[in-house]
Amino acid sequence: MKTLLQTQPVPFTRIYALGAARGDLTVTNDEIAGPIDSSDEWIRQRTGVVTRKRASKDRSLMDMASEAADEAIKKAGIDPEEIGAVILATITFPFQTPSGASLLSELVGAKKAAAYDISAACAGYCYGIAQADALVRSGVAKYVLVVGGEKLSDFIEPTDRSISFLLGDGAGAAIVGPSDHPGISKTVWGADGSNWDKVGMTNSLIDFRDGKATWPTLVQEGPSVFRWAVWEMAKVAKQALEEAGLEAKDLSALVTHQANIRIIDEFVKQLELPDSVVVARDIIETGNTSAASIPLAMHRLLAEGQVKSGGYALEIGFGAGLAFAAQVVELP
Ligand SMILES: CC(C)(COP(=O)(O)OP(=O)(O)OC[C@H]1O[C@@H](n2cnc3c(N)ncnc32)[C@H](O)[C@@H]1OP(=O)(O)O)[C@@H](O)C(=O)NCCC(=O)NCCS
């Protein structure tokens, strides 16, 4: 009997480069406070958001995703045809099928890539990095393009006080490839289905079709998700550090999902981060962009020179599902 041929594993992976694209509109708190009987002061104090970036009608999710991906591919210095898989983490691609990733692979010239979307909401980008790491290490793909992209403004209700006022639009991209040293640590991840209904859509598309409900928009049980994020996710972040064999002082940056600045500050406390660790606070200007928020925030730290390539960043995504994922990555 013949022996099966299998892919040859490679020992290590790293992120080669990032790309970013945000909504073209800057929306202030004053512009959205009226319908939720809120104020600029309340939103700043309770969430940290000063503006959110939103995309105008003619700037689509795919426009932002391909812009971010093109930047990452160019900076990585690779040929798009060397990309073995395109993973799009999103909850806002407006077609159930085909996947957004398939269209994205065409737009960026990744003609030899497998392509699929993943639905893990605000944890989606970190899920994507976990998958990219595994695909490259197993030898299934040489390079993987991971994009977290959302046009959340298509799924908001201006009178909703629970989440809509926080949300922005954008896309962040990463190229993952082989490395001569470890650049992505073991991912700590999961999904707490017992809290499936705590963040998500108001209703199904079927109920919308049948005239039983309105267009589905995003809602959350803010305070209970807040507590989960602060207590349970801080534990996951600590576990990810342990899996990486690092301590807080070894980090250059903490890049959490940009859900609420008070949650970010709580991570800093619970992880006992020294002042030397730069903390991403892109939420102030961009808002919460779900799957896009971590790569956008990391891209900003690098673009503004707040962190240097080669340092370690702990990244943690959490949200609807309730899904979560955390890993330490070497900054590209
Ligand atoms: C949504 C969120 C900002 C609400 O903030 P909060 O501090 O928890 O607010 P609460 O719901 O406890 O309400 C506190 C008070 O503010 C009021 N309030 C709630 N939302 C408000 C809003 N958008 N504008 C103005 N006032 C508001 C409430 O009526 C309440 O008033 P009261 O004290 O007179 O009863 C916050 O819960 C949050 O960010 N949750 C975490 C979300 C998260 O991590 N999601 C997962 C990833 S997306």
Side-chain angles (χ1 to χ4, degrees), residues 60-67 69-70 73 80 93 100-111 145:
S60 70
L61 165 59
M62 224 24 82
D63 291 335
M64 295 185 283
S66 57
E67 199 178 304
D70 283 340
I73 293 167
F93 187 59
S102 185
L103 178 55
L104 181 61
S105 67
E106 176 63 18
L107 293 173
V108 301
K111 292 189 178 298
L145 167 65

Side-chain angles (χ1 to χ4, degrees), residues 33 36-39 42-43 46-47 121-123 160-163 165-167 198-199 220-230 257-263 283 288 290 317-320 322:
I36 53 171
D37 188 21
S38 192
S39 65
W42 192 96
I43 297 171
R46 304 300 290 176
T47 73
C122 310
D160 163 59
R161 277 184 137 202
S162 74
I163 196 165
F165 66 104
L166 298 168
L167 303 177
K198 294 291 186 289
V199 190
Q220 68 173 343
E221 281 183 34
S224 53
V225 181
F226 188 99
R227 283 192 293 276
W228 170 78
V230 165
H257 170 48
Q258 304 287 295
N260 186 318
I261 211 150
R262 292 187 292 135
I263 296 175
I283 186 172
N288 173 352
S290 191
F318 49 86
L322 296 172

Side-chain angles (χ1 to χ4, degrees), residues 187-309:
T187 299
V188 177
W189 57 349
D192 171 12
S194 70
N195 283 308
W196 186 85
D197 57 351
K198 294 291 186 289
V199 190
M201 309 303 278
T202 42
N203 47 266
S204 74
L205 285 167
I206 304 293
D207 284 346
F208 175 63
R209 178 200 64 191
D210 293 347
K212 292 185 192 152
T214 51
W215 172 245
T217 55
L218 287 154
V219 281
Q220 68 173 343
E221 281 183 34
S224 53
V225 181
F226 188 99
R227 283 192 293 276
W228 170 78
V230 165
W231 298 113
E232 300 308 317
M233 292 304 99
K235 285 183 214 157
V236 170
K238 283 180 192 164
Q239 209 185 326
L241 264 184
E242 272 169 35
E243 294 285 0
L246 300 181
E247 293 170 44
K249 66 174 169 52
D250 301 318
L251 294 172
S252 296
L254 172 70
V255 187
T256 71
H257 170 48
Q258 304 287 295
N260 186 318
I261 211 150
R262 292 187 292 135
I263 296 175
I264 299 172
D265 292 341
E266 202 54 51
F267 272 105
V268 173
K269 264 194 234 158
Q270 295 199 34
L271 292 170
E272 297 178 44
L273 287 192
D275 291 344
S276 58
V277 182
V278 177
V279 179
R281 290 190 170 88
D282 187 38
I283 186 172
I284 297 172
E285 285 176 39
T286 306
N288 173 352
T289 53
S290 191
S293 86
I294 289 173
L296 284 179
M298 189 176 285
H299 183 276
R300 179 188 288 273
L301 293 185
L302 287 160
E304 291 180 350
Q306 294 193 55
V307 291
K308 289 202 191 88
S309 165

